[in-house]
Amino acid sequence: MRDAVAILVGGNAGEVAFTVLGAAVAGRAPLGTRQLLLANLLTDMLPAVAVALARSREQKSGEDPLVGGPASALFGSDLGRILAVRGSATALGAAAAWQCGRMTGRARRASTMRLAALVGTQLGQTFMTDWPSPLVLVTSVASAATLFTIVETPMVSHFFGCTPLGPMAWSVVGTCSAAATLGAAVAPRLLFPRRAPLAI
């Protein structure tokens, strides 16, 4: 339950943060309405549901599954910190790919790269949340394949305000998504070290 909430809310927070940041830099929203709907469809539908339905992982007694420390309430401060990390990672992954696209190609190519990195970063975090689950793996791969197919199919890509990408652009998207995902996985343990259990 907590993982699913973190994925849904954290990912959407990242989309909002990226939209605000992009609007401040470019003077207009970096993602169109159709692109936002597509991103939510690919990240919030099957992958997040798969995490919610996955079998509970075995944890040490009293351990928090999100940060490895003492367990807390469902909507406690620990979850708030994780949402901030996930949202920041999503926004930074998309922003990095967008900036690379702006420096190396046309505006529509940069727009496509930021959308792909936004989705890729969220899917990467979802996979890292519960990678042993076959259902999470299958839905994450299926969503990534759907994104690739949409982007590389000219008429469909144009409908979503995108353009087909070449190997170099996909490499940049993959690198930015992977770096942001890794950062999200490591950051909680560096920023929020384990606290001693509260005395009863």
Side-chain angles (χ1 to χ4, degrees):
M1 175 74 76
R2 295 185 65 188
D3 287 343
V5 170
I7 289 168
L8 293 171
V9 179
N12 288 328
E15 293 175 11
V16 171
F18 175 64
T19 299
V20 172
L21 177 64
V25 172
R28 61 188 180 86
L31 294 173
T33 303
R34 292 175 183 174
Q35 291 179 331
L36 280 173
L37 290 174
L38 177 62
N40 287 329
L41 179 66
L42 293 175
T43 60
D44 293 353
M45 193 172 175
L46 293 180
V49 170
V51 170
L53 295 178
R55 180 178 299 179
S56 298
R57 291 164 288 164
E58 293 183 5
Q59 299 148 13
K60 296 178 181 179
S61 178
E63 182 179 77
D64 189 326
L66 292 179
V67 296
S72 58
L74 175 61
F75 296 105
S77 60
D78 286 337
L79 181 57
R81 295 187 185 100
I82 294 300
L83 294 179
V85 169
R86 287 184 183 275
S88 298
T90 298
L92 290 174
W98 181 36
Q99 186 60 30
C100 290
R102 293 177 70 195
M103 293 188 299
T104 59
R106 303 183 312 275
R108 178 160 286 198
R109 178 174 178 270
S111 173
T112 306
M113 290 173 68
R114 68 192 173 201
L115 172 64
L118 183 78
V119 173
T121 303
Q122 291 191 62
L123 290 178
Q125 293 179 83
T126 300
F127 176 72
M128 291 295 289
T129 296
D130 200 1
W131 61 266
S133 168
L135 184 60
V136 173
L137 173 61
V138 169
T139 54
S140 296
V141 171
S143 291
T146 301
L147 172 67
F148 181 83
T149 301
I150 289 173
V151 169
E152 294 302 314
T153 305
M155 292 186 63
V156 179
S157 184
H158 181 74
F159 176 78
F160 286 103
C162 299
T163 188
L165 299 176
M168 182 61 69
W170 280 114
S171 296
V172 171
V173 167
T175 300
C176 293
S177 299
T181 298
L182 180 61
V186 173
R189 303 185 187 281
L190 296 178
L191 299 176
F192 318 123
R194 296 185 181 184
R195 296 172 300 176
L198 296 176
I200 298 178

